[in-house]
Amino acid sequence: MKKRIPELCTSLAGVLCLLAGIGVFAVGGRPMLFGALALGVIGCVLLVLALSFRFGGKAGRRLRRGLLGVVAAGVLAFGALEGVVVYGAQSTLSDTEPDAVVILGAAVWDGEPSPVLNRRISAGAAWLTERPDVPVVVTGGVDTGETVSEAEVMAAVLEEDYGIDPDRIYLEEQATNTLENLTCTMALLEEEGLSADHLLVVSSAPHLARVRLLAGRCGVTADCLAAGVPGGTEYRAYLYLREAAALVKSFFVDFP
């Protein structure tokens, strides 16, 4: 029985991680997907480790070495992805004035912009104030836990807090992810008789590498304006880590 204690403890920990991941996603929905996936991966690693204890002997050692190799490769690959996210988290502004500014939505809390969304609105408003002739699209629908569209909240803040002329503001209220932000915005601009060939996209700094990837797939030239990330070091680290995972998802799944 004593020999089975490592196997049983590791199995239990693995099952608990998997259940915790399911619970996190069930409660938090899509915004908590990264945390749920991380718990799921840890749970699977622990269950494979428990299986190696059950095999014992040479078979168990080979399985543990293989598991260690897979984990090491995963860490290196994730580190490389994180490098792409960090490198891409910079504003890239060309000398040519864009056809329109696009401010990407983020969470709305009780009808008010979250700190992340506030930073995006502020960054976009500062640019727009200096260029009164450029239209702006605020894009974001009603996401999990929200009762009002992100676009509506952004438009109100731009008008009331920053004095942006409402005639310049176009609301795109259907999108619930980054790809939809871009495709729905392009469709809206076309409907309004405006060009969407060259856009300035405003979003949080960690998000910009993914924005550039998806803008390229949509066939649009996109400059990017980086909005700051609120909160302490832990929250900023979480956003950067989450974006590395989201970049993988977008690379394989998100096509217009």
Side-chain angles (χ1 to χ4, degrees):
M1 183 64 183
K2 289 184 178 180
K3 291 183 178 180
R4 296 195 61 191
I5 289 177
E7 176 193 341
L8 294 173
C9 290
T10 308
S11 298
L12 178 61
V15 170
L16 289 175
C17 281
L18 290 175
L19 292 175
I22 294 171
V24 165
F25 183 70
V27 173
R30 191 167 61 87
M32 297 303 296
L33 179 59
F34 173 72
L37 288 175
L39 287 168
V41 169
I42 293 171
C44 289
V45 169
L46 289 172
L47 289 175
V48 174
L49 183 60
L51 188 62
S52 76
F53 291 139
R54 171 171 285 275
F55 286 161
K58 291 183 178 180
R61 288 193 293 272
R62 283 197 295 268
L63 186 54
R64 285 191 290 275
R65 285 196 293 268
L67 180 62
L68 179 61
V70 170
V71 170
V75 170
L76 289 174
F78 197 81
L81 283 169
E82 198 58 47
V84 172
V85 172
V86 172
Y87 180 77
Q90 308 293 329
S91 297
T92 51
L93 304 175
S94 65
D95 295 331
T96 305
E97 192 168 89
D99 298 318
V101 173
V102 183
I103 304 178
L104 303 189
V108 168
W109 297 347
D110 296 325
E112 298 293 331
S114 63
V116 169
L117 187 54
N118 255 327
R119 294 292 184 94
R120 295 183 184 183
I121 298 169
S122 176
W127 193 96
L128 289 164
T129 301
E130 299 297 323
R131 299 160 182 85
D133 297 326
V134 180
V136 55
V137 178
V138 286
T139 169
V142 180
D143 209 340
T144 305
E146 298 173 349
T147 57
V148 62
S149 75
E150 295 164 4
E152 183 178 341
V153 172
M154 287 188 281
V157 174
L158 285 173
E159 181 181 352
E160 297 169 10
D161 294 355
Y162 294 97
I164 303 299
D165 185 347
D167 291 338
R168 302 172 61 190
I169 304 173
Y170 295 85
L171 279 68
E172 187 293 298
E173 300 183 89
Q174 303 303 315
T176 57
N177 59 50
T178 305
L179 179 62
E180 291 177 357
N181 286 143
L182 295 171
T183 55
C184 293
T185 291
M186 293 169 68
L188 173 63
L189 289 170
E190 183 178 348
E191 290 174 5
E192 296 292 339
L194 299 172
S195 174
D197 294 333
H198 179 195
L199 303 177
L200 172 62
V201 183
V202 183
S203 192
S204 306
H207 192 200
L208 295 185
R210 188 153 55 101
V211 168
R212 293 187 183 94
L213 168 68
L214 297 177
R217 286 182 175 175
C218 291
V220 62
T221 300
D223 293 338
C224 290
L225 180 60
V229 179
T233 302
E234 296 84 359
Y235 183 65
R236 295 184 182 191
Y238 168 76
L239 289 181
Y240 275 93
L241 290 171
R242 185 183 70 177
E243 270 303 316
L247 189 61
V248 175
K249 175 258 184 184
S250 288
F251 183 83
F252 288 106
V253 175
D254 290 340
F255 291 89

